[in-house]
Amino acid sequence: AQSVTQLDSQVPVFEEAPVELRCNYSSSVSVYLFWYVQYPNQGLQLLLKYLSGSTLVKGINGFEAEFNKSQTSFHLRKPSVHISDTAEYFCAVSRGYQKVTFGTGTKLQVIP
Amino acid sequence: DVKVTQSSRYLVKRTGEKVFLECVQDMDHENMFWYRQDPGLGLRLIYFSYDVKMKEKGDIPEGYSVSREKKERFSLILESASTNQTSMYLCASSPPDRTYEQYFGPGTRLTVT
């Protein structure tokens, strides 16, 4: 079975500071990894995905994530956050075309 | 632009009532999903469907059923609502070869009293 662990339930950060949201996955086979974002009162939307190839993946709104197979991690980073980045971020994993398993979410609170 | 709509944003029902949550997508996607979202638990898959009249149980199907009579519409049914089904319900759809690329509706916040 596959699973993801998001170590931080909430991350407060000042505006224009860098941020890292942590995600570790567990799977005995190769996986696809994703980050989704949920803005207040909205559904989730896909932020970025790792399927294969380069381990550094760039997504929308200046976010990027790095796939680290040896550490089974897929941390999300942004060098400078804006107020508009305040949202809940979900790490997710799937194997091929099978169902996606979501983490418990990390709430990013950007402080002015 | 893919659009997934859900019939209600907020719903209040009484214990024992039969509840229908409707979801419609406009991108001709084969796959559709129902999740519930609870604080600290993330998203948990209730049911999914990969074609009309086809359905598969997810991780927490107990107390729920689904119906997919048309490709664009996927309904979640609570046969006899209970207070522990108070939650945010999210519907999503995806293309058949990109199950991970899910498009979500805005959610229905259901309160069962």
Side-chain angles (χ1 to χ4, degrees):
Chain A
Q2 62 206 26
S3 66
V4 288
T5 302
Q6 293 185 246
L7 299 167
D8 305 301
S9 59
Q10 294 191 56
V11 173
V13 63
F14 286 104
E15 194 173 15
E16 297 184 8
V19 69
E20 178 179 86
L21 305 184
R22 297 180 294 169
C23 172
N24 287 90
Y25 69 92
S26 173
S27 176
S28 57
V29 297
S30 296
V31 294
Y32 298 160
L33 292 157
F34 318 94
W35 278 96
Y36 277 79
V37 59
Q38 185 179 32
Y39 297 106
N41 299 314
Q42 295 184 26
L44 281 70
Q45 57 181 283
L46 185 62
L47 190 60
L48 52 77
K49 60 182 182 282
Y50 171 78
L51 304 180
S52 64
S54 173
T55 56
L56 184 63
V57 180
K58 294 190 183 296
I60 60 173
N61 300 335
F63 283 92
E64 62 181 33
E66 185 159 18
F67 170 60
N68 188 319
K69 190 174 182 180
S70 62
Q71 296 186 8
T72 60
S73 68
F74 191 57
H75 301 331
L76 182 69
R77 301 185 183 102
K78 186 170 183 178
S80 175
V81 295
H82 301 145
I83 292 288
S84 59
D85 293 323
T86 294
E88 190 161 15
Y89 293 79
F90 292 90
C91 185
V93 62
S94 76
R95 289 188 290 159
Y97 302 136
Q98 297 181 24
K99 69 183 182 77
V100 177
T101 300
F102 290 86
T104 53
T106 298
K107 289 185 177 177
L108 174 63
Q109 182 188 4
V110 180
I111 305 164
Chain B
D1 229 18
V2 177
K3 191 149 188 179
V4 180
T5 56
Q6 297 184 228
S7 50
S8 305
R9 289 302 304 271
Y10 300 93
L11 208 53
V12 180
K13 295 292 182 181
R14 294 195 181 275
T15 301
E17 278 193 84
K18 191 169 186 175
V19 181
F20 292 87
L21 302 183
E22 305 285 339
C23 174
V24 177
Q25 51 96 3
D26 66 359
M27 277 302 290
D28 204 34
H29 284 164
E30 280 76 5
N31 296 334
M32 295 190 75
F33 309 84
W34 274 107
Y35 295 90
R36 64 176 283 175
Q37 181 181 12
D38 299 288
L41 296 178
L43 275 72
R44 292 179 292 168
L45 182 65
I46 303 171
Y47 268 96
F48 68 98
S49 169
Y50 51 88
D51 204 348
V52 175
K53 297 191 185 294
M54 305 301 287
K55 61 184 179 184
E56 293 281 342
K57 292 181 180 179
D59 300 317
I60 52 164
E62 296 77 20
Y64 304 94
S65 63
V66 290
S67 172
R68 191 158 180 209
E69 297 296 320
K70 293 185 178 181
K71 191 175 186 179
E72 67 271 19
R73 188 180 298 269
F74 192 34
S75 303
L76 180 69
I77 304 155
L78 287 67
E79 295 290 341
S80 177
S82 63
T83 55
N84 63 13
Q85 293 178 309
T86 290
S87 186
M88 171 70 83
Y89 290 88
L90 293 170
C91 176
S93 71
S94 82
D97 57 341
R98 299 195 301 277
T99 309
Y100 56 81
E101 192 176 300
Q102 296 186 20
Y103 296 84
F104 283 81
T108 295
R109 184 165 293 283
L110 173 67
T111 302
V112 183
T113 61

